[in-house]
Amino acid sequence: AQAQLPSHMQRVLRTLHTDTYFQVQGQEDCCHTSVGSRPGDCFADVIFSYLFARVMKCFQQQMSHAGLQEFITDVKRFEPFDVSEPVGRQIPYTGPVWMDDLCVGIKANSPGELITKAGITTSLLLETLTGFGMTPNLKKGKTEILFSLRGRGVRKAKQQLFGPNSAGHLPVMSEAGTHFVSVVGQYQHLGGLLHHG
């Protein structure tokens, strides 16, 4: 209903999740899923994608309300060798999403401001996710913050984040308490390596 599907499609979806019986190979009896979808049911991806789209919309509203939403120029043609400033209307940009993986891009005028914005942005994201009943995995290698530091004060910021006395994480405060998110110089995802340089 929230997706504004026609009533007949709503009934189809309801039917797909009613009497979700399945069998496990080598067993004679039937199993019944009372919560969620059948194991291996690809329809769960459709439901999750819709839910995550709602999460992202809410997160973008929170970012906009906090004055943290980034914008990019909506360019109609891709010109890889064009070095001029792109011309077009500005559209909101959060970052790339792949299923349940999200990369939020932020920028600031100084390293100190960037660290502050990263903490606030991460807090908003964690609160948005938990508000939708999701539990973010904050383990190292799963949720991490990658800084690309430039400008005045960069030496001090690098010492704070990567120096011998650094904790290796950024404390992020939210309504649920303080979380500690790893700070890294590079991040590997799906075989690709993203480096701060």
Side-chain angles (χ1 to χ4, degrees):
Q2 288 177 337
Q4 299 175 351
L5 283 176
S7 59
H8 71 282
M9 283 301 297
Q10 291 181 38
R11 286 193 298 275
V12 167
L13 297 183
R14 214 171 286 125
T15 303
L16 284 172
H17 289 283
T18 304
D19 297 329
T20 54
Y21 293 98
F22 62 96
Q23 283 188 296
V24 177
Q25 188 174 2
Q27 287 185 273
E28 297 293 323
D29 59 340
C30 288
C31 302
H32 179 258
T33 303
S34 58
V35 177
S37 59
R38 288 182 280 267
D41 186 353
C42 61
F43 190 71
D45 293 338
V46 174
I47 298 298
F48 180 83
S49 294
Y50 173 69
L51 173 63
F52 208 69
R54 291 193 53 218
V55 167
M56 288 303 300
K57 186 173 184 178
C58 182
F59 176 59
Q60 288 171 328
Q61 289 171 345
Q62 297 283 343
M63 291 285 285
S64 183
H65 183 69
L68 298 170
Q69 180 66 59
E70 298 294 341
F71 293 87
I72 59 171
T73 305
D74 183 16
V75 180
K76 298 300 179 199
R77 286 189 5 216
F78 176 62
E79 299 290 343
F81 302 108
D82 187 6
V83 294
S84 63
E85 195 66 31
V87 178
R89 67 184 179 95
Q90 297 291 298
I91 58 172
Y93 174 78
T94 303
V97 177
W98 174 254
M99 295 303 287
D100 63 340
D101 295 321
L102 167 65
C103 176
V104 179
I106 59 172
K107 64 182 177 183
N109 295 321
S110 70
E113 183 186 343
L114 185 63
I115 293 169
T116 301
K117 281 179 83 170
I120 296 168
T121 300
T122 305
S123 176
L124 288 174
L125 179 59
L126 295 178
E127 288 180 2
T128 303
L129 290 168
T130 55
F132 277 85
M134 298 175 148
T135 306
N137 185 347
L138 299 179
K139 292 179 184 170
K140 190 165 181 56
K142 288 295 187 178
T143 301
E144 295 180 325
I145 299 174
L146 174 68
F147 287 104
S148 180
L149 302 168
R150 306 271 191 280
R152 188 181 205 113
V154 73
R155 211 175 257 162
K156 181 182 175 186
K158 283 185 178 181
Q159 187 71 20
Q160 175 189 344
L161 296 170
F162 302 107
N165 296 326
S166 69
H169 59 256
L170 187 71
V172 176
M173 291 179 277
S174 70
E175 288 186 25
T178 303
H179 308 280
F180 298 95
V181 181
S182 296
V183 175
V184 296
Q186 64 183 28
Y187 186 78
Q188 184 170 353
H189 182 65
L190 297 176
L193 192 65
L194 186 63
H195 189 270
H196 70 85

